Amino acid sequence: NAGVTQTPKFQVLKTGQSMTLQCAQDMNHEYMSWYRQDPGMGLRLIHYSVGAGITDQGEVPNGYNVSRSTTEDFPLRLLSAAPSQTSVYFCASSEYRGRTEAFFGQGTRLTVV
Amino acid sequence: GESVGLHLPTLSVQEGDNSIINCAYSNSASDYFIWYKQESGKGPQFIIDIRSNMDKRQGQRVTVLLNKTVKHLSLQIAATQPGDSAVYFCAENGSGNTGKLIFGQGTTLQVKP
């Protein structure tokens, strides 16, 4: 049982480059979300999805796009990377919105130079 | 605005002692709370949750207490072990059934041998 899988684990980008962080879950969870974690801080919600075809913005959505074409996958896109997006990114999924535990991936450590 | 905060950034305890990690939340509409443990380089891992219709819930060596009157949450770890050393986050689901989780900034638990 893989749970929530994130790729890549590490990435270095130059300012202005684009990339996609991948997230996949095999638990048939309807709710998925992306967080960023900066040093000494908690997790801040970027975008979330309550089901295939439905996405919404979280606390810090600027500079990020998401889509949810399938239940399993929830990629996060950086269209033009900026140094302020240097962070550790976590994807999470849960069975039911707001009522059950969220399972987290192992994270993607992104550095923008 | 909505926020979840922790009273102490670092807690240092002796191995074998009990640990108590505190959390204050601000949204009285939150009805679901979770404690997560995050080890270095890993994603947050679910420890225990509690719903607002309860004031106490016990797991294996852990107990969560919820005081809705003062909007306070605590995590008690019995017989703390070196493997308990990590950052601990509380999270609340905020208002509305959106699935969002609002995280506190975390408390670092250091266990001294």
Side-chain angles (χ1 to χ4, degrees):
Chain A
N1 186 356
V4 179
T5 303
Q6 289 184 237
T7 56
K9 287 186 170 55
F10 301 94
Q11 183 71 49
V12 178
L13 288 179
K14 293 182 179 179
T15 298
Q17 285 186 317
S18 63
M19 79 160 295
T20 300
L21 279 62
Q22 301 292 343
C23 176
Q25 53 94 4
D26 62 359
M27 297 172 282
N28 201 33
H29 286 170
E30 60 177 352
Y31 181 81
M32 296 185 73
S33 53
W34 277 101
Y35 293 85
R36 62 176 287 173
Q37 184 175 35
D38 299 302
M41 298 183 68
L43 288 83
R44 292 184 292 169
L45 182 64
I46 304 171
H47 285 286
Y48 66 99
S49 169
V50 299
I54 305 170
T55 63
D56 205 347
Q57 296 180 348
E59 180 186 357
V60 287
N62 292 341
Y64 308 95
N65 282 347
V66 292
S67 60
R68 183 97 180 268
S69 57
T70 66
T71 300
E72 294 79 19
D73 300 299
F74 190 43
L76 178 72
R77 297 183 185 85
L78 285 72
L79 297 179
S80 179
S84 61
Q85 294 178 304
T86 294
S87 188
V88 181
Y89 292 85
F90 289 101
C91 178
S93 74
S94 63
E95 182 177 329
Y96 180 75
R97 61 186 75 174
R99 291 295 184 273
T100 57
E101 62 186 280
F103 293 84
F104 283 82
Q106 290 299 296
T108 295
R109 185 174 294 275
L110 175 68
T111 302
V112 183
V113 297
Chain B
E2 297 176 335
S3 67
V4 178
L6 289 154
H7 293 317
L8 293 174
T10 303
L11 175 65
S12 185
V13 301
Q14 204 71 37
E15 180 179 358
D17 287 351
N18 296 334
S19 303
I20 300 177
I21 301 171
N22 295 305
C23 177
Y25 66 94
S26 62
N27 192 329
S28 56
S30 291
D31 60 2
Y32 180 64
F33 305 88
I34 311 177
W35 279 100
Y36 284 95
K37 172 186 180 183
Q38 186 177 28
E39 296 174 291
S40 181
K42 296 185 178 180
Q45 180 182 11
F46 172 86
I47 302 174
I48 191 168
D49 60 1
I50 188 168
R51 305 185 194 285
S52 60
N53 60 353
M54 305 171 68
D55 53 20
K56 180 179 180 180
R57 191 166 187 221
Q58 288 184 297
Q60 187 177 15
R61 281 202 307 120
V62 295
T63 300
V64 55
L65 299 178
L66 175 62
N67 186 331
K68 295 182 289 293
T69 302
V70 295
K71 290 185 284 189
H72 184 267
L73 194 67
S74 69
L75 176 70
Q76 300 178 359
I77 303 173
T80 311
Q81 303 169 358
D84 295 327
S85 294
V87 179
Y88 290 81
F89 293 97
C90 63
E92 61 174 316
N93 67 337
S95 57
N97 188 22
T98 62
K100 299 179 191 179
L101 287 177
I102 303 164
F103 284 82
Q105 293 189 355
T107 292
T108 300
L109 177 63
Q110 299 174 339
V111 182
K112 296 177 288 185

